[in-house]
């Protein structure tokens, strides 16, 4: 528990001391009105009279998330959608849990830099620069790693035990684009010939990947 608290405090301190990517707030608080249909760059503020402490708290990161997918990892976000009080503050968190051999597949966050703090286990992590250089490292409990905003990155648990991290972002809603699902499970779909040429494979391979990444039907 102490390690968890220290991790969160460290991440928030590090992010707050840097220049946030989100715009600076113009008032003390602007708790997001998630029910409003008005679209702005962020969320409309709730009336101050309706603001409560519940808008600034979330217990979803206290326990490991349920890992029930083929990647072997699960992300539990704590962004403005879960904590409306984060609106305009330029920070958010997430917890990522990994099964043995689990992968948080290559993805990007278009609106934030990410810092991860290892709660338990050991992970192989890395990002790829626009010059196609891989920057990677094995990180262990208590260590951090930074993924620059917008660059493709990943984390993999090569161990035989569960692993978990706390992620900090300098954005209230970082956004996530998983490369494989963005390309092979988009709606409407990316044309097959685009994928065939881009990945230098034939149509059968594209069909197989699309079938594996298609959302599972619920009966």
């Amino acid at each position: 528990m102490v390690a968890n608290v220290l991790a969160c405090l460290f991440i928030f301190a590090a992010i707050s001391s840097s220049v946030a990517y989100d715009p600076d707030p113009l008032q003390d608080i602007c708790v997001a009105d998630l029910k409003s249909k008005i679209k702005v760059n962020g969320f409309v503020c709730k009336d101050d009279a309706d603001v409560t402490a519940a808008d600034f708290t979330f217990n979803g990161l206290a326990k490991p998330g349920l890992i029930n997918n083929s990647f072997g990892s699960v992300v539990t976000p704590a962004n403005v959608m879960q904590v409306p009080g984060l609106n305009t503050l330029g920070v958010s968190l997430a917890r990522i849990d990994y099964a043995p051999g689990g992968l948080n597949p290559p993805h990007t966050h278009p609106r934030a830099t990410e810092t991860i703090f290892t709660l338990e286990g050991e992970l192989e992590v890395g990002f790829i620069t626009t010059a196609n250089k891989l920057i990677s490292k094995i990180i262990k409990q208590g260590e951090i790693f930074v993924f620059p905003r917008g660059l493709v990155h990943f984390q993999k648990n090569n161990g035989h035990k569960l692993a978990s991290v706390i992620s900090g972002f300098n954005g209230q809603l970082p956004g996530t684009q998983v490369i494989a699902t963005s390309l092979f499970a988009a709606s409407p779909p990316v044309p097959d010939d685009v994928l065939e040429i881009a990945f230098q494979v034939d149509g059968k391979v594209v069909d197989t990947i699309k079938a594996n990444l298609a959302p599972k039907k619920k009966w």
Side-chain angles (χ1 to χ4, degrees), residues 22-70:
D22 287 356
D24 290 333
L26 300 178
Q27 57 273 319
D28 288 345
I29 60 173
C30 176
V31 174
D33 182 356
L34 299 178
K35 296 181 180 179
S36 175
K37 295 182 179 180
I38 298 174
K39 299 296 183 182
V40 296
N41 190 23
F43 293 91
V44 174
C45 306
K46 289 173 63 173
D47 189 284
D48 285 354
D50 298 326
V51 172
T52 70
D55 294 313
F56 296 89
T57 187
F58 178 63
N59 65 3
L61 306 189
K63 297 180 180 179
L66 177 62
I67 303 171
N68 59 358
N69 57 60
S70 58

Side-chain angles (χ1 to χ4, degrees), residues 111-204:
R111 297 187 292 270
T113 292
E114 177 182 9
T115 301
I116 62 172
F117 178 95
T118 312
L119 294 175
E120 60 179 331
E122 182 176 300
L123 295 167
E124 178 183 2
V125 302
F127 64 86
I128 304 164
T129 71
T130 55
N132 275 346
K133 180 177 180 178
L134 172 64
I135 308 292
S136 64
K137 189 180 189 299
I138 301 296
I139 59 173
K140 301 178 181 180
Q141 183 174 352
E143 297 183 334
I144 71 166
F145 196 82
V146 177
F147 304 107
R149 177 168 60 92
L151 295 186
V152 177
H153 59 281
F154 64 89
Q155 305 107 33
K156 188 174 188 300
N157 180 8
N158 290 327
H160 301 291
K161 299 180 179 179
L162 294 172
S164 61
V165 303
I166 292 290
S167 293
F169 302 92
N170 64 337
Q172 67 180 41
L173 194 61
T176 300
Q177 281 195 304
V178 179
I179 306 303
T181 52
S182 292
L183 289 171
F184 291 92
S187 180
V190 177
D192 284 0
D193 59 339
V194 171
L195 298 172
E196 291 169 17
I197 295 172
F199 289 91
Q200 296 293 287
V201 296
D202 61 32
K204 291 183 179 180

Side-chain angles (χ1 to χ4, degrees), residues 10-20 90-93 115 168-171:
F10 174 84
I11 292 171
F12 265 115
I15 293 175
S16 298
S17 64
S18 64
V19 177
V91 294
S92 60
L93 292 174
T115 301
F169 302 92
N170 64 337

